[in-house]
Amino acid sequence: MYKNLKYILTAFIAAVALLPAKAQVTTESPYSAYGLGNLRTSVFPGLRGMGGISAGVFKPDGYSMINVVNPATYSGINLTTIDIGVNGGFTGLKRGNESESRFNATLNHIALGIPVSRKSAFSFGLLPYSDLGYNYSNRSRIDTMNVDYIYAGEGSISKAYFGYGVQFGKYVRIGANLEYLFGNLSQTRSALFPDEPAVLPSRMQNKISIDGLNFSYGIQTEIPLSEESRITLGYSGSFNSNISAKKSYVLTQYTVDGDGVENPPLDTLQIIDNAKTDLKLPLEHNFGFSVQRDNKWMVGADFRMGQWSKFSLDNSNQGLQDSYGVSVGGQITPDITAVGGSLAGYLKRIDYRLGVRYDKTYLKLANNDIKDRAISVGFGFPLPSNNRLSFYKVNFTTELGRRGTTAANLVQETYLNIHLGFTLNDTWFRRFKFD
């Protein structure tokens, strides 16, 4: 047990060090310039393979799982559970006749669940909340002068959480998460005058530092259909919390040498350093259901919505609108009890997953709603263990999607994301009795 605990603590410390430091490599999207950047779902790879359904999902197979979206599910953790995930993705950007592609990869999450009693458990972990990353330019005119505006942004917000879930009676579960959001978002806009060497370039830099608490909650109930089949109904949500934040603002002028290299700033025209400001998160809701035959198959759907029109950062909403989304998916396991070392037997124990997802995001640009659509395919590969009290699984999901549109000179993103997670169920902290 202590050897396993040493490994998990080492991994957790590594995740704490790596997650805040990854801001410059996780995303390159002009759409991340708005709001809090690209929002990252709390769905782990196993559920991502089913389109991200989560609010109404409870133990689709014999493994204990960590479902951060609905903390009511923690009550089903009956073995010490650890989930570690990484992801990577190829993104193609297209606007008019211009196109480019990028690849990014990062550690995604680390989470731990520990049973407290037969019907309750707590979970804690670290995962991303949002990412900011873009760099693009646009030419405009002021009077008779050409102006090249260069926009850039980088940063991330991470989420550390501690949650508890408990089951009441046979069919009702509730849970809650206390979440700590922290990170920095930095955005700059530079103005260069290519035809007017006497006019100095200028740069405006905004930085927001976030450091505060949020609260999320969930509930589930079951409708038994038989001893092996059931319907699960679920709801989860988060408060419209006010989070403390600080802002910094710097406006400078600088020069560029003959090789195009920037020199140190000549003058600081305006500066605001660590002034207090407000961040108000939106109220969010997730509704879901699933129908399953235990250890055989499951299908389900989620509907989610967020009141992003009520979002506020530094007393500005940035024109965000309410969002909503739908996910549909399921999985099938041909024969979880198949034995033997043959390939045919192993293929029967694999979880096969499929899902689709549609989101109308909180962005509306040039009178066009920015929509995100994706299809996902996933697999759960069970791994052998050296005893009957430990279970291991590798969850692999690939997601193909498209966000945005090329209408009105906007950018269309086509992406292929790969998510890889490792789930361990073990009997840590078990107290053995000897006669």
Side-chain angles (χ1 to χ4, degrees):
M1 180 187 76
Y2 295 106
K3 183 178 180 180
N4 289 334
L5 186 59
K6 179 181 70 174
Y7 290 153
I8 182 58
L9 289 176
T10 302
F12 187 79
I13 293 172
V16 171
L18 289 174
L19 277 175
K22 64 184 175 57
Q24 299 185 31
V25 299
T26 55
T27 187
E28 291 188 37
S29 168
Y31 293 124
S32 69
Y34 303 89
L36 295 176
N38 283 342
L39 299 178
R40 302 283 294 277
T41 176
S42 298
V43 179
F44 292 171
L47 296 180
R48 276 184 179 269
M50 295 181 276
I53 61 173
S54 52
V57 176
F58 183 74
K59 298 188 72 168
D61 51 37
Y63 287 72
S64 293
M65 57 174 255
I66 300 175
N67 179 359
V68 181
V69 176
N70 192 336
T73 61
Y74 301 158
S75 62
I77 297 175
N78 50 29
L79 294 174
T80 300
T81 303
I82 177 174
D83 200 306
I84 300 177
V86 297
N87 61 36
F90 297 89
T91 303
L93 306 178
K94 182 179 180 181
R95 183 178 67 176
N97 296 323
E98 301 175 310
S99 63
E100 61 179 275
S101 59
R102 292 288 186 269
F103 173 78
N104 293 300
T106 181
L107 172 70
N108 187 65
H109 68 270
I110 180 169
L112 182 68
I114 299 176
V116 176
S117 67
R118 190 169 60 88
K119 293 184 177 182
S120 69
F122 66 84
S123 176
F124 61 91
L126 184 66
L127 59 156
Y129 180 81
S130 71
D131 290 319
L132 177 66
Y134 62 91
N135 193 322
Y136 64 94
S137 62
N138 184 39
R139 173 161 289 191
S140 184
R141 289 184 68 85
I142 298 180
D143 295 329
T144 59
M145 296 186 298
N146 288 324
V147 185
D148 289 337
Y149 291 108
I150 301 175
Y151 303 88
E154 64 181 31
S156 68
I157 301 174
S158 298
K159 177 170 71 176
Y161 77 93
F162 180 88
Y164 179 76
V166 60
Q167 179 171 323
F168 295 95
K170 292 184 178 181
Y171 305 121
V172 178
R173 298 178 283 270
I174 64 171
N177 287 323
L178 181 64
E179 303 169 348
Y180 171 58
L181 302 181
F182 62 98
N184 300 296
L185 303 176
S186 179
Q187 296 177 287
T188 63
R189 188 189 74 172
S190 302
L192 292 81
F193 303 85
D195 304 324
E196 303 290 339
V199 180
L200 293 178
S202 63
R203 174 173 293 120
M204 178 180 65
Q205 181 177 26
N206 286 288
K207 181 181 178 181
I208 298 291
S209 298
I210 295 170
D211 180 12
L213 296 176
N214 190 31
F215 185 76
S216 62
Y217 44 87
I219 185 171
Q220 283 189 341
T221 185
E222 286 186 12
I223 302 173
L225 301 178
S226 68
E227 291 186 0
E228 298 181 345
S229 303
R230 52 195 162 97
I231 298 174
T232 302
L233 306 176
Y235 165 78
S236 63
S238 64
F239 285 152
N240 51 341
S241 305
N242 290 310
I243 303 238
S244 62
K246 293 183 179 180
K247 66 176 181 178
S248 298
Y249 173 85
V250 180
L251 178 61
T252 59
Q253 287 183 314
Y254 60 95
T255 60
V256 180
D257 63 23
D259 296 327
V261 178
E262 290 185 14
N263 295 315
L266 286 177
D267 191 16
T268 299
L269 304 179
Q270 187 177 359
I271 183 170
I272 300 173
D273 188 26
N274 285 329
K276 289 186 177 180
T277 188
D278 293 323
L279 166 63
K280 184 176 182 179
L281 295 177
L283 188 65
E284 295 185 286
H285 305 282
N286 302 278
F287 305 89
F289 77 92
S290 65
V291 183
Q292 73 181 69
R293 184 178 180 187
D294 293 343
N295 301 323
K296 289 289 186 178
W297 54 264
M298 184 194 72
V299 294
D302 272 21
F303 174 77
R304 53 193 168 270
M305 56 186 299
Q307 296 181 346
W308 286 93
S309 60
K310 305 293 180 63
F311 167 83
S312 177
L313 177 60
D314 194 22
N315 298 316
S316 173
N317 174 260
Q318 299 183 337
L320 304 186
Q321 60 179 356
D322 291 344
S323 64
Y324 64 82
V326 178
S327 295
V328 179
Q331 78 170 30
I332 183 171
T333 308
D335 185 0
I336 199 171
T337 63
V339 295
S342 67
L343 177 60
Y346 181 75
L347 293 176
K348 292 180 180 179
R349 298 195 301 272
I350 294 175
D351 301 323
Y352 299 89
R353 301 166 179 145
L354 181 67
V356 294
R357 173 177 57 82
Y358 169 87
D359 284 282
K360 185 185 79 68
T361 71
Y362 56 47
L363 293 179
K364 187 172 186 178
L365 304 175
N367 210 30
N368 288 274
D369 289 327
I370 304 303
K371 302 173 183 177
D372 190 357
R373 309 171 181 86
I375 183 171
S376 57
V377 177
F379 304 92
F381 299 104
L383 300 180
S385 63
N386 55 7
N387 62 69
R388 295 183 179 182
L389 300 178
S390 300
F391 307 92
Y392 308 90
K393 180 174 287 189
V394 173
N395 294 301
F396 175 84
T397 293
T398 181
E399 186 179 38
L400 178 63
R402 177 168 290 173
R403 178 170 63 165
T405 175
T406 55
N409 203 34
L410 295 174
V411 175
Q412 184 180 78
E413 300 177 358
T414 302
Y415 55 85
L416 176 65
N417 293 331
I418 298 171
H419 307 276
L420 183 65
F422 176 78
T423 302
L424 178 150
N425 289 180
D426 210 335
T427 52
W428 303 356
F429 315 113
R430 178 182 291 270
R431 181 176 297 174
F432 293 96
K433 296 182 179 180
F434 297 92
D435 294 329

